[in-house]
């Protein structure tokens, strides 16, 4: 509880510092700042949260023992995609300078996403096999389920 209070107070102080700095800046374009804040709000609440809720709803169809692994993979894939998307789309690329963004970022992003998917699949399969082995081991115990009077 104490850590949370310190973090909340620290965050409020940082936000206050940013607001004071922005308001006292003589070059502040209030219209541009308000447009940026509105765009961030719409982008976060309409686009991003809708996507997160859709993925969360879809992940309820995943078996409970694999759900956390699948959700971690989805969060990792989303974070990597958000970071790599400007490179994939080529923002900043100049046609006459081939040394700017020279790599095949789309292919590399796909490779990283495939590694995440493959690792997730392997983790889920290994947990499934361990669970099946534990169930098999449990069902092969002699004498379980029999009463002492049911001899033969």
């Amino acid at each position: 509880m104490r850590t949370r209070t310190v973090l909340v107070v620290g965050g409020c102080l940082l936000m206050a510092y940013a607001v004071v700095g922005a308001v006292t800046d003589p070059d502040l374009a209030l219209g541009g700042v308000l447009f940026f804040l509105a765009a961030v709000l719409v982008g976060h609440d309409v686009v991003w949260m809708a996507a997160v809720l859709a993925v969360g709803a879809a992940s309820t169809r995943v078996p409970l023992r694999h759900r956390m692994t699948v959700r971690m993979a989805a969060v990792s894939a989303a974070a990597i995609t958000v970071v790599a998307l400007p490179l994939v789309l080529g923002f900043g690329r100049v046609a006459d300078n081939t040394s700017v963004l020279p790599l095949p970022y789309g292919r590399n992003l796909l490779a990283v996403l495939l590694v995440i998917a493959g690792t997730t699949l392997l983790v889920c399969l290994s947990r499934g096999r361990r669970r099946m082995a534990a169930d098999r081991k449990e069902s092969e115990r002699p004498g379980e389920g029999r009463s002492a009077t049911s001899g033969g």
Side-chain angles (χ1 to χ4, degrees), residues 77 80-82 84-85 88 104-115:
I80 290 169
T81 301
V82 166
L85 201 57
V88 171
Y105 296 102
R107 184 190 71 198
N108 294 344
L109 175 61
L110 182 63
V112 170
L113 294 177
L114 286 174
V115 167

Side-chain angles (χ1 to χ4, degrees), residues 55-70:
V55 170
S59 72
T60 60
R61 297 183 180 267
V62 175
L64 189 59
R65 66 180 177 267
H66 302 309
R67 196 170 294 164
M68 187 55 69
T69 305
V70 170

Side-chain angles (χ1 to χ4, degrees), residues 22 28-38:
L28 176 71
L30 189 59
V33 171
L34 292 176
F35 177 76
F36 173 77
L37 291 175

Side-chain angles (χ1 to χ4, degrees), residues 5-17:
T5 304
V6 169
L7 290 174
V8 168
V9 169
C12 289
L13 288 173
L14 283 172
M15 287 188 291
Y17 174 74

Side-chain angles (χ1 to χ4, degrees), residues 21-94:
V23 170
T24 58
D25 185 9
D27 295 329
L28 176 71
L30 189 59
V33 171
L34 292 176
F35 177 76
F36 173 77
L37 291 175
V40 168
L41 181 68
V42 169
H44 181 272
D45 289 353
V46 175
V47 178
W48 181 247
M49 287 308 298
V52 168
L53 290 173
V55 170
S59 72
T60 60
R61 297 183 180 267
V62 175
L64 189 59
R65 66 180 177 267
H66 302 309
R67 196 170 294 164
M68 187 55 69
T69 305
V70 170
R71 285 180 178 168
M72 287 190 307
V75 167
S76 299
I80 290 169
T81 301
V82 166
V83 169
L85 201 57
L87 298 172
V88 171
L89 296 176
F91 296 147
R93 184 173 289 141
V94 182

